[in-house]
Amino acid sequence: AFWFYRDGESLVPCTGDCGKIELLYQSALRIPDDDEELLSSLLNEEVALTSCVKGNKNNTQYVAFVSYDTSSKIVAIKKRPASNQFLSWLEPPTLLRRGFGEYNVEGELEECTLGPVKHLIFVVHGIGEALWSQQDNSLIEEMNLCRTAMYKLQVDIWKKECIKAEKEKRLSPAPPSRIELLPIQWYDRIHSPSTSLKSTLDSVTLTSVPAIRQVSNDVVFDVLMYMAPEFCQEVLEDVTNQISDLYSKFKVIHEHFETSGGKCSLIGHSLGSVIVWDLLALLKSQQEKDAAPNVLDTLSNTYKPITKSEIGTVIPFEPDFTFLLGSPVGLFLTLRGANNLFEKLRLDTSNDAQVSPFSLPSGAIFNIFHELSFFS
């Protein structure tokens, strides 16, 4: 059995001597409730313990049971008083718990309350993920927080609708369907310590002002590398493969997702929005080839990603929604030579309806940015 002590709100495993505690605990369980004399002798039994609780590694301690009730499963540990430290008897005991006991995972209740997943969203990170992930702010952790907050909001709204329906003597609405967020990480394609690029970059980086050098290497470097055809292709192929693989596994687990009308969407943040744009440009190019295999590609290289060779794989679905957050897509298209077309569209004063040359199979597209963002 495992014994734990409480450190704030967390349960921390005890280290060492847990076997002695377990033996004393099992002995207490075998004592009849009415045998007070035997129980008293057992509770006064001293067991030498070391390295049991963090911070007390060098202190000899003794164990006394607060309760031997199987429902409580709690033991108290107190230091053996030294000859010149009689006041140590007055110190509050450290309580140990056998096993975790009851506990709740944040967001678990809301997730179980909601209906099956009907909307799957893939989230592609932007620049600096190599830096943020070192500071416990990785995309995976942020998606977990976002998912928990989203589920809580969905359940809160649903509960209010149920209360309203009850007052109006109507049937309560069914719980809303879940929205699943799946993070897509590509930064290790550039920042993996095993790559020759990373080792070369580290070797030529000056040791002065290390904080600024780290920002330069882990943040700005992402943009420069994505503009290189070789790494642009590696990133796009990696993201496409991740999305395809996760989507296949998701459909195995949620076998009725497609038949029940499930939706798929894409979110790209910062440079991730350019990656999402390029994925959709490749998807449009593939769709046009499938529709008219003998017709040349109508998408100019001006608007498509610049890669070392043709990319043969595309994402396995056409998204229902596309969200570009803090997106520099306009800048990248300008660098690819689309500025003349931008100017032509800006000066066009006709009211004739026309399809934008930048239209992509994106579903409803939302370009969301803050007016003070320097990167959008």
Side-chain angles (χ1 to χ4, degrees):
F2 291 96
W3 290 87
F4 299 83
Y5 69 93
R6 186 169 294 280
D7 184 7
E9 297 296 323
S10 303
L11 287 176
V12 182
C14 294
T15 56
D17 297 328
C18 287
K20 297 178 181 178
I21 303 174
E22 180 67 18
L23 287 175
L24 193 60
Y25 175 76
Q26 294 295 339
S27 299
L29 291 180
R30 289 191 290 268
I31 296 176
D33 293 348
D34 56 355
D35 196 338
E36 296 183 3
E37 182 178 353
L38 185 56
L39 179 61
S40 176
S41 64
L42 180 65
L43 296 183
N44 290 326
E45 181 178 345
E46 294 184 357
V47 178
L49 297 175
T50 57
S51 304
C52 186
V53 179
K54 183 179 179 182
N56 294 328
K57 292 183 177 180
N58 299 320
N59 294 314
T60 302
Q61 305 163 328
Y62 79 94
V63 174
F65 277 87
V66 174
S67 170
Y68 65 95
D69 188 341
T70 56
S71 63
S72 63
K73 301 180 182 178
I74 291 177
V75 166
I77 284 187
K78 199 171 184 180
K79 296 178 184 178
R80 183 198 301 272
S83 57
N84 59 346
Q85 293 180 337
F86 293 105
L87 291 179
S88 64
W89 284 105
L90 303 178
E91 294 178 3
T94 299
L95 296 182
L96 301 186
R97 176 175 290 278
R98 188 175 188 267
F100 275 108
E102 294 184 2
Y103 65 96
N104 294 318
V105 177
E106 186 179 6
E108 184 178 34
L109 178 61
E110 288 81 2
E111 183 173 344
C112 294
T113 301
L114 297 172
V117 178
K118 289 294 182 68
H119 198 165
L120 175 62
I121 303 177
F122 295 94
V123 184
V124 183
H125 69 75
I127 62 173
E129 183 65 17
L131 178 62
W132 318 139
S133 61
Q134 298 173 17
Q135 302 175 354
D136 297 328
N137 292 317
S138 71
L139 179 66
I140 294 176
E141 292 165 333
E142 294 301 321
M143 287 302 98
N144 289 338
L145 293 174
C146 184
R147 190 184 297 109
T148 299
M150 186 167 54
Y151 288 169
K152 186 178 186 305
L153 179 61
Q154 283 185 285
V155 171
D156 288 345
I157 294 175
W158 172 68
K159 287 181 177 179
K160 291 178 182 179
E161 292 176 349
C162 289
I163 294 174
K164 183 178 179 181
E166 185 178 357
K167 290 181 179 179
E168 297 175 356
K169 297 182 178 180
R170 295 185 287 105
L171 290 176
S172 297
S177 300
R178 282 166 49 204
I179 302 173
E180 184 59 75
L181 299 169
L182 295 182
I184 304 296
Q185 293 183 299
W186 53 264
Y187 72 93
D188 56 342
R189 276 290 175 180
I190 296 176
H191 294 279
S192 174
S194 61
T195 62
S196 59
L197 174 67
K198 181 63 175 176
S199 59
T200 301
L201 178 65
D202 291 340
S203 66
V204 299
T205 300
L206 299 178
T207 56
S208 58
V209 285
I212 297 178
R213 303 290 182 191
Q214 183 181 21
V215 171
S216 175
N217 288 356
D218 291 344
V219 180
V220 180
F221 189 66
D222 290 350
V223 180
L224 300 177
M225 290 310 301
Y226 191 72
M227 295 174 68
E230 179 182 353
F231 285 95
C232 177
Q233 179 163 342
E234 282 194 26
V235 169
L236 289 174
E237 289 178 339
D238 181 58
V239 172
T240 300
N241 291 335
Q242 285 190 60
I243 291 177
S244 299
D245 184 51
L246 288 173
Y247 187 55
S248 297
K249 293 178 179 178
F250 178 85
K251 289 191 296 182
V252 171
I253 298 173
H254 304 271
E255 55 184 354
H256 301 297
F257 176 74
E258 285 187 317
T259 57
S260 62
K263 298 180 179 180
C264 292
S265 297
L266 296 173
I267 292 179
H269 172 245
S270 178
L271 183 58
S273 67
V274 180
I275 295 173
V276 166
W277 175 278
D278 289 343
L279 293 177
L280 295 175
L282 294 172
L283 179 61
K284 180 178 181 179
S285 179
Q286 185 62 50
Q287 289 175 343
E288 291 180 344
K289 288 180 181 178
D290 293 340
N294 297 323
V295 178
L296 293 176
D297 192 351
T298 58
L299 264 184
S300 168
N301 289 332
T302 301
Y303 320 129
K304 288 170 60 177
I306 302 174
T307 56
K308 187 176 180 180
S309 60
E310 185 175 356
I311 297 179
T313 56
V314 295
I315 57 174
F317 57 83
E318 185 174 316
D320 293 274
F321 300 92
T322 301
F323 301 89
L324 308 180
L325 310 179
S327 176
V329 164
L331 171 62
F332 273 76
L333 292 179
T334 300
L335 294 175
R336 293 173 184 175
N339 51 301
N340 292 332
L341 188 51
F342 284 153
E343 188 67 12
K344 180 180 178 181
L345 292 173
R346 187 180 68 84
L347 297 175
D348 186 4
T349 58
S350 65
N351 295 323
D352 299 335
Q354 54 182 321
V355 178
S356 170
F358 297 101
S359 62
L360 295 173
S362 59
I365 188 167
F366 299 87
N367 186 22
I368 304 171
F369 60 92
H370 192 282
E371 60 181 1
L372 299 181
S373 173
F374 65 91
F375 202 59
S376 302

